[in-house]
Amino acid sequence: MMTKTIESASSGYCSFCGETHSLEQGKAREYCLELMKTLEEKGRIDFHIPEQHMDPRLSLDYLLGEARGQMFGVLECLDMDGQPVILKAFSGQYNGVWSVEGWAPPLLDTGKFEFLVCDVDKQIKALGSRINGLSEGAERRELTRQRKKLSQNLMKEIHALYNVHNFRSEVRSLFEFFANGVPTGAGDCCAPKLLNAAVKQKLLPKSLAEFFWGRANRSGTRQQGRFCTPCSEKCQPILGFMLCGIKR
Ligand SMILES: [Zn+2]
Ligand SMILES: [Zn+2]
């Protein structure tokens, strides 16, 4: 069977329909350019709140420092009355922050996430200091094994918190899309955040575009303002499902 690949579109194969669903960059690209301008002007991502209440963690300085940069995305939608609604998202956490007003939320319950991580992190750190106090030997190997197991289980429990929605009112877990294990960061990119938010707000997606913002890398694949399509390793396996049921 032929699967059409559209350059500069978000797409994925849908096993339910047996075809590739896609969304073009279309007008979302123009909204991205506007967002870039706003980011440049404001120098922070919490520009929906007055400057005196700004959170220093949400400054764009973060992207120029350690983080090196991040993906941003825009989804152009229509509401039930046919009025345009523009959703926007940043990939993953922004400087350790999951939820920022005016941006699409993550696919997981952040309260449950914090609870899980806080508890297990303590155990992992405690094991770490015991391991550091030991010389090579059976006990050290055993504790190292335990620590590895703990962090693997934690990743699994975190991934279990993700709900992936589509436009046919279906919900799936991340595990259903990755037979060989869920890659780190799956579900945290802009496209899944934006589509999930659109489902929940009963919006009809029209176009989707993502761009990189931050320090350029040497190879030039990451340049500030450069448009990208959703990644193949984390996003493509879930996008066919997520784009299913969008009525045109
Ligand atoms: Zn991705
Ligand atoms: Zn489908």
Side-chain angles (χ1 to χ4, degrees):
M1 190 193 56
M2 289 285 289
T3 48
K4 53 179 180 186
T5 45
I6 306 164
E7 285 297 330
S8 77
S10 307
S11 62
Y13 179 76
C14 170
S15 55
F16 180 79
C17 302
E19 60 179 78
T20 298
H21 298 313
S22 65
L23 260 188
E24 303 218 16
Q25 281 190 341
K27 264 198 194 162
R29 217 180 149 97
E30 292 161 40
Y31 289 110
C32 278
L33 294 173
E34 278 177 33
L35 176 56
M36 291 179 205
K37 230 187 261 168
T38 310
L39 290 173
E40 241 163 12
E41 275 169 26
K42 305 284 183 184
R44 58 193 177 105
I45 66 161
D46 58 347
F47 47 74
H48 293 278
I49 59 168
E51 206 167 338
Q52 65 263 35
H53 300 304
M54 66 183 265
D55 183 339
R57 293 175 300 170
L58 303 178
S59 156
L60 286 190
D61 292 346
Y62 163 68
L63 297 183
L64 302 171
E66 213 180 309
R68 298 202 68 102
Q70 206 146 331
M71 295 298 299
F72 290 85
V74 168
L75 186 67
E76 178 212 2
C77 306
L78 295 178
D79 68 12
M80 302 235 259
D81 302 321
Q83 295 302 308
V85 178
I86 308 304
L87 301 179
K88 59 183 184 303
F90 52 82
S91 60
Q93 291 175 303
Y94 191 93
N95 203 3
V97 181
W98 277 119
S99 310
V100 180
E101 194 187 321
W103 298 83
L107 275 66
L108 48 61
D109 180 328
T110 56
K112 285 182 185 162
F113 171 86
E114 306 293 351
F115 182 76
L116 255 180
V117 170
C118 165
D119 192 40
V120 182
D121 254 2
K122 268 185 219 147
Q123 298 177 43
I124 290 175
K125 283 206 182 99
L127 273 176
S129 38
R130 280 177 65 194
I131 290 166
N132 288 337
L134 292 169
S135 47
E136 274 312 320
E139 195 185 354
R140 188 187 167 106
R141 275 198 302 277
E142 170 57 20
L143 292 183
T144 307
R145 193 194 61 80
Q146 279 180 24
R147 182 173 61 177
K148 192 176 169 198
K149 191 89 197 139
L150 265 180
S151 43
Q152 282 172 342
N153 285 345
L154 175 63
M155 272 326 287
K156 261 187 212 152
E157 286 182 80
I158 290 173
H159 287 144
L161 297 178
Y162 283 69
N163 287 319
V164 186
H165 292 257
N166 74 4
F167 294 85
R168 289 194 297 109
S169 304
E170 287 178 324
V171 191
R172 283 192 191 168
S173 85
L174 278 178
F175 303 111
E176 296 176 62
F177 301 101
F178 302 95
N180 301 316
V182 181
T184 306
D188 289 335
C189 292
C190 296
K193 281 190 185 184
L194 290 166
L195 292 167
N196 240 37
V199 169
K200 289 188 178 168
Q201 295 178 46
K202 296 190 166 45
L203 299 172
L204 173 69
K206 300 298 285 181
S207 63
L208 190 160
E210 292 182 19
F211 63 90
F212 174 78
W213 201 256
R215 274 200 291 172
N217 63 0
R218 265 180 211 188
S219 64
T221 50
R222 294 188 136 199
Q223 278 170 10
Q224 182 153 293
R226 187 185 175 125
F227 284 95
C228 318
T229 48
C231 65
S232 51
E233 66 278 16
K234 292 174 281 180
C235 286
Q236 218 140 63
I238 58 180
L239 280 183
F241 170 80
M242 293 197 83
L243 291 168
C244 191
I246 297 175
K247 292 181 191 71
R248 283 164 206 287

